[in-house]
């Protein structure tokens, strides 16, 4: 199959198989006709979410800065489910798949009918415990599509496979235990017959892991942790230590106080990336638990850093400790991108990672070597990154001590970026949905009680100096500085879609915006009835027209039971979201736009 | 002579020294009786132990008991899910809305047995007396009348209106007995 020869890089659930499906439906090798495979692959890499690589080039032909002004609302689909809708819809040409927040319902909408009738729906069994034991700012499970199968992670720790045509379940396994505060925050990644997934639950003292399941049966092939002995982390012969001291044995135990690694956090709650060419898998690990640093003195390996692992066995190849002994509960699970392009004159295979600590890291993904790390938001807790070791130059006045309050730490937990960034090769810009927030942090003693928040910190967030609590940063990758920024009133939480010279994203106050990818000028916007936390998707519908879909639902309706007079509510977000208007419609709603 | 006014003032000064009685160690029969809640079949509301009323509702009105509740709130990770009452992964406790009922028995049973949406049971971690201290503190946190006995500040970060300012409803008149 010619499509299987797609160049090496395959991002988050973008697969040759999915490409083949769409190609058959359109009946033409559009990929070559538009830009050639190399550019198609680069576009694919620029979309770390769940849009198939095949969907972008056709939409690009029609959805452009010139045509975006004509976008019209085609229909809406109300699900009546309240809650934060973090998972972007998935489209495969004729069907649009929709996963509502926990307790989940999965809808398959028929795009061939004018009002998108529901082809099938599926409601997995739900364990209500997960509702109160999953935390703030993280996702609510997710789904991915490959080979006619839909793979779903539910918030309450189930992984299931369904027939995408009719919703018939193929298998279901329990992969995480919600009673301990463990949940599944992101979508599983189909990769070479395997299904990769990781757990979330750093705020509950859950020990992080990444696992590979057999995509055909759901049987577990391997599972490796973010803390503990080398054998349980997957560190052995092929591991190349980058940080001084990481060549010693059992760092996942020795860099912690006795037994603290057992509740050490480091969950793999963000997206996982697969590079089919090198057979490597890349993922970040979450922040160490508890938040109070005095209770976990040491480097806290292997939390809050980036891992490269072999897909077949899970064995670690390298590890970059981005936030060694993470003081501020940041973690390194923000979405990365795999790019093959020239870097300072030579072609390189890069991994670009905008991190919660406010720096854009550019790495060589074969070796883990850090090529560049520059700040994209106001940062005062650190004064740059030592590129040789990856160590942050910390500001001692921003140290966190038990029983004391440290004021004005920038950026604030859970980090300067939480949603997925996007890249366009034609502009050379990385589009980062950033959060311009600082925090006051009070550290206190934390006791581990299974299934309760193991934080030991009170957080109170406030906006950073300058305009807006958020900003869309158009980041010049080569120069390592912003080309432009678009200030936003509220912190950006969802991901960014970059397609055909456009950058599309949603905001907490429910505005869907399309910017010119070169200048950052706002070309089109739409006010939804609820905040948008998920990434918009663009694809070509069955009628051949470009379509844009977004799932709105911020989960801040009365069912959230949040009182923002408490500045520390929602991990300190209560303090900055006091002015956020209540959504007129807290239910999760799909908005579908078409070009006339 | 100035001796006479001073002698008259002395009883007044001594009367001012009368402190609120604090019971640091419970009588064993009282401790046992405190567990005697009779709950409705749905786990919401019911009859509180008689001994509570007989002792003058110490867990609602006594500054020492309320302060103990505030310490337990922090020590037992209530803050980890409910923040300082504003809520995070768990619901807000200071907004005056109680998912499982606002009365003392409902809150006590929530602490003792847990609830289905993720609230764990603290039966094996807290004594009955500690659960009542925490119950009283939580009732004040979500109360609609201000309570002068309630704590007035946090130790470090001030995150919300103090408990004794009746945060659930904002400015309301102070009732004379609280």
């Amino acid at each position: 199959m010619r499509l299987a020869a797609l160049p090496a890089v395959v991002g988050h659930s973008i697969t040759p198989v999915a490409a083949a499906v769409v190609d058959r439906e359109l009946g033409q090798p559009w990929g070559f006709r538009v830009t050639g495979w190399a550019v198609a692959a680069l576009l694919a890499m620029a979309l770390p979410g769940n849009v198939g690589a095949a969907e972008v080039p056709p939409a690009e032909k029609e959805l452009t800065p010139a045509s975006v002004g004509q976008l019209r609302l085609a229909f809406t689909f109300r699900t009546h489910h309240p809650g934060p809708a973090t998972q972007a819809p998935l489209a495969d040409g004729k069907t649009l798949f929709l996963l509502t927040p926990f307790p989940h319902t999965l809808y398959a909408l028929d795009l061939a009918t004018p009002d998108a009738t529901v082809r099938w729906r599926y409601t997995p069994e739900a364990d209500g415990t997960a509702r109160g034991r999953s935390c703030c700012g993280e996702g609510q499970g997710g789904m991915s599509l490959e080979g006619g199968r839909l793979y779903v992670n539910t918030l309450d720790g189930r992984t299931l496979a369904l027939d995408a045509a009719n919703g018939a379940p193929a298998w279901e396994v329990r992969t995480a235990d919600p009673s301990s505060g463990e949940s599944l925050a992101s979508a599983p990644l189909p990769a070479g017959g395997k299904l990769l997934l990781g757990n979330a639950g750093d705020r509950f003292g859950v020990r992080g892991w990444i696992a590979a399941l057999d995509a055909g049966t759901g049987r577990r092939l391997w599972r490796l942790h973010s803390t503990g002995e080398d054998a349980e982390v997957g560190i052995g012969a092929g591991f190349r230590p980058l940080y001084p001291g990481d060549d010693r044995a059992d760092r996942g135990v020795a860099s912690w106080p006795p037994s603290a690694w057992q509740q050490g956090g480091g969950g793999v709650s963000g997206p996982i990336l697969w590079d089919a060419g090198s057979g490597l898998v890349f993922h970040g690990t979450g922040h160490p638990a508890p938040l109070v640093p005095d209770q976990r003195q040491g480097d806290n390996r292997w939390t809050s850093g980036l891992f490269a692992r072999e897909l077949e066995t899970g064995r670690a190849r390298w590890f970059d400790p981005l936030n060694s002994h993470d003081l501020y509960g940041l973690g390194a699970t923000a979405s990365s991108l795999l790019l093959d392009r020239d870097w300072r004159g030579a072609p390189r295979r890069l991994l670009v990672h905008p991190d919660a600590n406010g720096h854009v890291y550019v790495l060589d993904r074969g070796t883990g070597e850090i090529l560049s790390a520059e700040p994209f938001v106001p940062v005062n807790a650190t004064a740059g990154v030592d590129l040789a070791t990856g160590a942050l130059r910390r500001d001692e006045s921003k140290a966190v001590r038990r029983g004391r309050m440290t004021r004005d730490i920038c950026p604030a937990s859970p980090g300067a970026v939480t949603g997925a960034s996007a890249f366009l090769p034609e502009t050379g810009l990385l589009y980062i949905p950033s959060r311009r927030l600082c925090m006051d942090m009070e550290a206190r003693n934390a006791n581990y009680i299974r299934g309760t928040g193991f934080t030991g910190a009170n957080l109170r967030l406030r906006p950073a100096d300058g305009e807006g609590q958020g900003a869309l940063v158009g980041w010049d990758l080569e120069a390592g500085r912003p080309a432009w920024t678009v200030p936003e009133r509220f912190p950006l939480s969802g991901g960014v879609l970059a397609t055909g010279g456009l950058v599309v994203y949603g905001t907490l106050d429910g505005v869907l915006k399309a910017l010119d990818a070169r200048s950052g000028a706002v070309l089109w916007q739409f006010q939804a009835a609820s905040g948008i936390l998920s990434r918009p998707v663009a694809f070509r519908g069955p009628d051949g027209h470009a379509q844009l879909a977004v799932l709105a639902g911020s989960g801040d309706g009365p069912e959230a039971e949040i009182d923002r007079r408490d500045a520390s509510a929602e991990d300190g977000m209560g303090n900055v979201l006091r002015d956020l208007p209540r959504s007129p419609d807290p239910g999760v709603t799909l908005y579908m736009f078409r070009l006339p | 002579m100035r001796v006479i006014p001073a002698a008259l003032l002395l009883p007044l000064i001594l009367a001012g020294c009368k402190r609120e009685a604090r019971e640091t160690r419970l009588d064993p029969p009282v401790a046992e009786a405190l567990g005697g809640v009779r709950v409705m079949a749905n786990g919401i509301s019911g009859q509180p132990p008689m001994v509570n009323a007989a002792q003058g509702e110490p867990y609602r009105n006594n500054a020492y008991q309320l302060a103990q509740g505030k310490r337990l709130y922090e020590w037992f990770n209530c803050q980890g899910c409910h923040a300082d009452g504003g809520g995070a992964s768990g619901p807000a406790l200071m907004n005056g809305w109680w998912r499982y009922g606002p009365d003392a028995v409902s809150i006590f049973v929530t602490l003792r047995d847990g609830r289905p949406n993720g609230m764990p049971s603290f039966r094996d971690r807290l004594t009955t007396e500690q659960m009542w201290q925490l119950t009283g503190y939580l009732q004040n946190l979500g109360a609609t009348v201000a309570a002068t006995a309630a704590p007035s500040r946090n130790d470090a970060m001030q995150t919300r209106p103090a408990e004794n300012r009746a945060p659930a409803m904002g400015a309301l008149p102070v009732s004379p007995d609280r």
Side-chain angles (χ1 to χ4, degrees):
Chain A
M1 183 170 67
R2 200 170 52 186
L3 288 148
L6 190 70
V9 184
V10 176
H12 199 76
S13 82
I14 298 167
T15 63
V17 180
V21 170
V22 178
D23 188 47
R24 204 162 47 237
E25 280 164 5
L26 297 176
Q28 53 189 338
W30 43 262
F32 271 116
R33 219 180 52 195
V34 180
T35 40
W37 278 118
V39 177
L42 283 169
L43 280 166
M45 291 174 302
L47 290 166
N50 283 317
V51 187
E55 294 154 11
V56 182
E60 182 196 26
K61 282 169 56 186
E62 297 177 9
L63 203 57
T64 60
S67 68
V68 70
Q70 299 159 27
L71 265 186
R72 293 288 176 271
L73 185 65
F75 65 87
T76 61
F77 177 76
R78 293 193 64 211
T79 65
H80 302 281
H81 290 264
T86 54
Q87 168 67 57
L90 275 181
D92 81 338
K94 274 193 280 190
T95 316
L96 186 94
F97 301 98
L98 202 71
L99 184 69
T100 65
F102 184 80
H104 308 285
T105 298
L106 190 59
Y107 293 91
L109 305 182
D110 189 347
L111 291 176
T113 55
D115 56 345
T117 49
V118 177
R119 188 174 283 166
W120 54 263
R121 80 183 75 196
Y122 182 80
T123 306
E125 201 184 328
D127 179 352
T129 305
R131 194 174 150 193
R133 297 190 192 178
S134 57
C135 208
C136 350
E138 290 180 327
Q140 295 247 329
M143 59 180 169
S144 49
L145 183 65
E146 185 188 280
R149 260 195 184 176
L150 208 52
Y151 299 99
V152 181
N153 272 346
T154 68
L155 183 74
D156 61 344
R158 290 164 222 264
T159 303
L160 45 132
L162 303 165
D163 187 334
N166 54 22
W171 51 259
E172 175 180 332
V173 288
R174 290 303 296 259
T175 44
D177 175 12
S179 70
S180 67
E182 189 175 53
S183 54
L184 300 177
S186 55
L189 170 73
K194 296 185 175 60
L195 201 61
L196 295 168
L197 63 136
N199 68 348
D202 300 340
R203 294 279 154 111
F204 293 83
V206 170
R207 189 180 167 206
W209 51 255
I210 175 172
L213 311 182
D214 183 310
T217 60
R219 189 173 57 90
R220 194 164 84 197
L221 303 173
W222 50 260
R223 185 168 84 161
L224 294 160
H225 289 85
S226 301
T227 67
E229 293 171 12
D230 282 353
E232 294 186 2
V233 181
I235 286 174
F239 181 68
R240 180 173 173 272
L242 294 163
Y243 198 80
D246 276 356
D247 48 349
R248 282 180 243 142
D250 292 333
R251 286 276 286 157
V253 173
S255 62
W256 293 84
S259 81
W261 57 271
Q262 291 167 6
Q263 287 95 36
V268 185
S269 53
I272 302 167
L273 296 172
W274 174 44
D275 178 358
S278 63
L280 287 184
V281 166
F282 305 93
H283 69 88
T285 55
H287 68 75
L291 293 182
V292 45
D294 289 341
Q295 263 177 263
R296 45 174 177 84
Q297 290 181 354
D299 283 339
N300 309 133
R301 287 290 179 276
W302 307 89
T303 61
S304 215
L306 286 177
F307 259 122
R309 297 179 180 276
E310 293 164 18
L311 173 66
E312 284 308 311
T313 57
R315 274 191 307 223
R317 192 68 73 78
W318 52 257
F319 177 81
D320 266 326
L322 302 187
N323 302 296
S324 198
H325 185 57
D326 193 342
L327 293 177
Y328 312 118
L330 297 171
T333 56
S335 175
S336 306
L337 300 100
L338 307 181
L339 304 178
D340 285 357
R341 58 186 277 115
D342 280 357
W343 174 258
R344 311 259 153 97
R348 292 194 85 144
R349 292 162 59 241
L350 303 175
L351 185 148
V352 177
H353 173 76
D355 191 70
N357 68 18
H359 295 81
V360 177
Y361 287 81
V362 180
L363 313 176
D364 182 305
R365 69 174 182 267
T367 61
E369 182 195 348
I370 299 176
L371 306 174
S372 155
E374 297 294 332
F376 63 92
V377 290
V379 174
N380 70 8
T382 54
V385 179
D386 179 352
L387 294 187
T389 62
L392 290 163
R393 295 189 196 95
R394 293 202 184 277
D395 180 345
E396 276 309 305
S397 69
K398 301 295 179 189
V400 177
R401 299 261 176 273
R402 180 161 43 192
R404 290 232 319 263
M405 177 153 67
T406 309
R407 290 177 188 273
D408 288 342
I409 302 164
C410 312
S413 174
V417 55
T418 55
S421 305
F423 181 77
L424 278 181
E426 63 262 35
T427 60
L429 298 183
L430 179 70
Y431 305 99
I432 310 169
S434 72
R435 305 156 68 88
R436 302 177 70 261
L437 296 173
C438 301
M439 67 174 173
D440 300 338
M441 181 171 179
E442 177 201 353
R444 29 180 195 85
N445 260 328
N447 303 307
Y448 180 74
I449 301 173
R450 188 182 143 87
T452 65
F454 184 46
T455 57
N458 244 359
L459 309 178
R460 179 172 62 192
L461 273 55
R462 64 167 188 79
D465 293 338
E467 191 184 353
Q469 298 174 2
L472 190 90
V473 180
W475 179 263
D476 187 331
L477 201 60
E478 192 75 19
R481 57 176 169 73
W484 45 260
T485 58
V486 176
E488 289 290 341
R489 189 172 163 210
F490 296 105
L492 293 179
S493 306
V496 173
L497 165 74
T499 176
L502 287 172
V503 176
V504 190
Y505 63 98
T507 67
L508 269 186
D509 47 353
V511 182
L512 181 66
K513 290 187 182 178
L515 311 184
D516 185 313
R518 290 190 192 278
S519 66
V522 180
L523 300 175
W524 175 85
Q525 56 183 14
F526 175 84
Q527 176 70 54
S530 182
I532 299 170
L533 303 179
S534 65
R535 202 171 54 82
V537 294
F539 54 93
R540 174 184 271 201
D543 58 354
H545 287 268
Q547 306 203 346
L548 180 72
V550 71
L551 197 59
S554 59
D556 70 343
E559 82 291 342
E561 296 184 33
I562 297 291
D563 191 329
R564 292 193 175 128
R565 283 172 303 160
D566 177 2
S568 64
E570 294 174 285
D571 278 7
M573 288 297 284
N575 203 32
V576 291
L577 296 184
R578 278 187 189 145
D579 299 336
L580 179 66
R582 286 280 182 204
S583 302
D585 180 2
V588 173
T589 305
L590 175 81
Y591 292 84
M592 179 74 87
F593 304 91
R594 286 196 187 123
L595 283 173
Chain B
M1 293 296 283
R2 296 186 178 177
V3 179
I4 296 165
L8 283 172
L9 275 174
L10 191 64
L12 277 174
I13 292 166
L14 287 176
C17 288
K18 183 182 179 299
R19 297 186 65 193
E20 187 182 60
R22 58 175 65 176
E23 195 155 13
T24 50
R25 193 176 163 81
L26 275 185
D27 284 336
V30 175
E32 178 152 357
L34 276 177
V37 287
R38 289 159 71 188
V39 193
M40 299 290 282
N42 62 359
I44 293 172
S45 187
Q47 189 186 37
M50 299 292 202
V51 65
N52 241 348
Q55 295 206 315
E57 304 274 356
Y59 302 108
R60 276 311 295 274
N61 304 326
N62 185 294
Y64 168 73
Q65 305 290 4
L66 292 170
Q68 289 296 308
K70 187 179 170 85
R71 302 176 88 185
L72 295 168
Y73 185 83
E74 187 178 315
W75 290 351
F76 284 85
N77 289 2
C78 306
Q79 226 155 1
C81 296
H82 300 281
D84 264 3
S89 63
L93 304 172
M94 57 184 263
N95 59 353
W97 163 250
W98 299 88
R99 211 182 272 177
Y100 304 107
D103 60 300
V105 171
S106 299
I107 297 172
F108 178 84
V109 170
T110 299
L111 295 170
R112 190 186 67 183
D113 301 343
R115 293 290 184 186
N117 281 332
M119 175 73 196
S121 159
F122 285 85
R123 184 193 294 268
D124 302 331
R125 301 188 187 274
L126 295 168
T127 65
T128 311
E129 185 197 16
Q130 286 172 327
M131 282 192 257
W132 277 113
Q133 288 168 336
L134 202 41
T135 300
Y137 174 70
L138 293 176
Q139 277 192 288
N140 265 319
L141 198 59
T144 51
V145 285
T148 47
S152 59
R153 61 185 294 276
N154 293 349
D155 281 345
M157 188 187 285
Q158 309 299 320
T159 48
R160 54 154 160 66
E163 291 92 332
N164 64 359
R165 287 176 54 195
M169 294 290 279
L172 277 180
V174 180
S175 84
D177 62 325
R178 293 259 158 84

